[in-house]
Amino acid sequence: MSLGEFMKDRDSAGLTPGRTSRVDSILDQLDIPDPFSTDELVRRVAEMRGRPIHLESMPGITSEMPCGFWVALDDMDLIAVEDATSPMHRDHIVLHELSHMLLGHEAGQDLHTRLPLRVAPELVSRMLGRTSYENAIEREAETLAGLIASRAAQRSAVDRSTPPALRRMNTVLSGY
């Protein structure tokens, strides 16, 4: 399935037309690195937001917890990723959490009490962690993350130097 077909089929993700339009707008405005690098995209999003984004490997994440999460502190953003995951899954988790930032999502602080995070709760202004795709915010972030990965892979489809993990991610996403 091409990127265009995938974009047309997003209704199956349960997004309303307004959410689909917002995802399209953000995707079109996003300066996706070519060749693609997750770290470079993180740097570009940090620059857009005017604040640093730190990636942290998080040991001890269990199946009852999200495999990754985003914490917005007063002066920086933190994306934590399960340390026992594959490079391809790590990249997708980072894209998902970046998508929350790009979409302006917010969440309560209750997630803070369930995660192995050593940050005082009063310093956390926003925190999101995915454990399922049952709500529209998670589906919207997942849709944008998948579209970023697909667009990045398609841009460099003729360039065989595309990282194997990104080529595999595009192959998987193209099957839907």
Side-chain angles (χ1 to χ4, degrees), residues 49 51-54 70-73 75-79 101:
R49 292 173 57 78
R51 53 194 276 131
I53 299 173
H54 295 279
W70 159 47
V71 180
L73 300 169
D75 59 347
M76 64 171 265
D77 291 302
L78 170 70
I79 295 176
M101 293 177 201

Side-chain angles (χ1 to χ4, degrees), residues 16-135:
T16 64
R19 286 187 184 273
T20 299
S21 176
R22 191 164 75 136
V23 166
D24 287 345
S25 176
I26 290 167
L27 185 64
D28 289 342
Q29 294 173 25
L30 187 60
D31 182 19
I32 299 172
D34 188 10
F36 184 77
S37 157
T38 302
D39 291 334
E40 177 59 19
L41 183 61
V42 168
R43 189 195 67 71
R44 290 179 185 189
V45 172
E47 188 175 293
M48 284 172 47
R49 292 173 57 78
R51 53 194 276 131
I53 299 173
H54 295 279
L55 301 179
E56 294 292 332
S57 182
M58 183 69 66
I61 293 180
T62 69
S63 61
E64 292 82 39
M65 295 186 240
C67 50
F69 55 90
W70 159 47
V71 180
L73 300 169
D74 289 337
D75 59 347
M76 64 171 265
D77 291 302
L78 170 70
I79 295 176
V81 180
E82 176 184 7
D83 66 352
T85 194
S86 70
M88 183 173 80
H89 190 219
R90 176 202 174 273
D91 286 348
H92 188 74
I93 293 166
V94 171
L95 290 177
H96 179 95
E97 302 309 331
L98 287 175
S99 294
H100 279 303
M101 293 177 201
L102 293 166
L103 290 159
H105 291 165
E106 295 188 20
Q109 294 180 340
D110 64 323
L111 184 61
H112 185 277
T113 61
R114 300 181 311 186
L115 296 172
L117 185 63
R118 294 184 187 100
V119 174
E122 62 273 9
L123 297 178
V124 176
S125 59
R126 281 181 277 180
M127 184 169 191
L128 281 169
R130 167 177 46 95
T131 54
S132 72
Y133 298 106
E134 292 178 7
N135 68 54

